[in-house]
Amino acid sequence: MKIIMLGAPGAGKGTQAKKIAEKYGIPHISTGDIFRANIKNGTELGKKAKTYMDQGALVPDELVVDLVVDRVGQEDAKNGYVLDGFPRTIPQAEALDKALAAINDKVDYAINVEVPDENIINRMSGRRACVDCGGTYHIKYNPTKVEGVCDACGGKLILRDDDKPETVKNRLSVYHEQTQPLIDYYSKQGILKEVDGTVDMEEVFNAITAILG
Ligand code: ADP
Ligand code: ADP
Ligand code: ZN
């Protein structure tokens, strides 16, 4: 099962992708997590990506596409995967389709988690992210058992720099300009599924599993 998560920043893609990965036994591939791991490790890719991420801009396609094509070709991804945060532009989607077509493969579902812009700033300012495993929590909607400590791995939780309201506004306009057109792209392919992302996390997940079976 090959799944793409679509939705605005903060819509809950990562939250749902983790649950999907667990239930269906497939890897969760988050390009944001991959970039943040590279930044943490001080790699060349991390240095390049950071300049864009700090501004809420997208990292250029040429820095993202090969990385993802390589990742989905790895052994643990042979029975499927859930892509979170990729594709984010039409050229990225086309590159993925092309790479998959070359091995007679294709994406099965593009799940769009719908959350209106009004809700996003609130979600982001309360989001806390684990520096070690990328797990995300919310101070109000999904608090950890111990404040500031990741339930999953014991790592430290932070408010991401790019989750501050000024940057979130930028990220939202980038989303509308560059990423939202993917909804139409996958709709035309007949694989788009929409779920209401404003309801409780468990309810969102139920809607998704009803689609995936
Ligand atoms: P969110 O959880 O808010 O959706 P991500 O963790 O997916 O954010 O992404 C954080 C940042 O990493 C983005 O704002 C962007 O700068 C960069 N990024 C992640 N994935 C991509 C991608 N597929 N293409 C370009 N930039 C990306
Ligand atoms: P994305 O990966 O799309 O950027 P996340 O999964 O990181 O989004 O979720 C953004 C924030 O909103 C996190 O703090 C998360 O705990 C919270 N969140 C996710 N889903 C819901 C929901 N259905 N209701 C309320 N808060 C949610
Ligand atoms: Zn963690």
Side-chain angles (χ1 to χ4, degrees):
M1 191 150 44
K2 294 167 190 89
I3 305 162
I4 287 170
M5 302 303 291
L6 293 177
K13 301 180 298 296
T15 301
Q16 298 301 327
K18 273 205 155 57
K19 289 159 102 54
I20 294 169
E22 203 173 303
K23 178 168 165 115
Y24 296 96
I26 52 179
H28 167 211
I29 302 175
S30 157
T31 42
D33 285 353
I34 294 172
F35 287 136
R36 282 183 291 276
N38 274 275
I39 292 172
K40 204 176 157 194
N41 296 326
T43 69
E44 273 313 306
L45 175 66
K47 280 178 200 147
K48 284 186 194 149
K50 188 176 187 316
T51 60
Y52 299 95
M53 292 167 76
D54 282 348
Q55 295 168 40
L58 293 183
V59 175
D61 291 340
E62 56 270 29
L63 293 182
V64 188
V65 168
D66 291 351
L67 184 139
V68 173
V69 169
D70 179 69
R71 178 66 189 87
V72 300
Q74 285 171 22
E75 182 65 19
D76 68 330
K78 68 179 192 307
N79 294 324
Y81 40 83
V82 49
L83 280 175
D84 162 18
F86 182 96
R88 257 182 160 95
T89 64
I90 297 278
Q92 289 181 15
E94 288 171 346
L96 177 66
D97 281 349
K98 203 173 145 205
L100 291 178
I103 51 167
N104 253 323
D105 207 349
K106 60 173 183 48
V107 175
D108 299 303
Y109 298 99
I111 300 175
N112 183 36
V113 183
E114 284 186 288
V115 175
D117 286 9
E118 309 78 279
N119 303 24
I120 295 291
I121 303 271
N122 195 12
R123 286 243 181 133
M124 301 302 242
S125 55
R127 169 154 75 178
R128 296 294 179 270
C130 173
V131 292
D132 290 329
C133 76
T136 60
Y137 301 88
H138 192 283
I139 51 174
K140 193 152 123 211
Y141 309 124
N142 185 23
T144 46
K145 294 192 184 78
V146 180
E147 200 187 312
V149 181
C150 177
D151 285 349
C153 80
K156 184 174 159 247
L157 299 188
I158 54 150
L159 169 64
R160 272 166 47 183
D161 272 339
D162 63 343
D163 279 352
K164 292 176 181 150
E166 273 320 299
T167 319
V168 171
K169 279 183 201 146
N170 268 348
R171 289 163 66 198
L172 273 175
S173 56
V174 166
Y175 167 75
H176 290 299
E177 271 166 41
Q178 304 197 53
T179 308
Q180 208 169 12
L182 292 175
I183 295 175
D184 206 40
Y185 180 91
Y186 289 113
S187 170
K188 283 185 178 136
Q189 288 193 2
I191 59 168
L192 181 76
K193 306 285 171 187
E194 313 224 41
V195 297
D196 177 3
T198 63
V199 297
D200 190 88
M201 301 177 191
E202 287 306 321
E203 275 179 66
V204 180
F205 189 57
N206 288 340
I208 291 174
T209 55
I211 292 163
L212 300 178

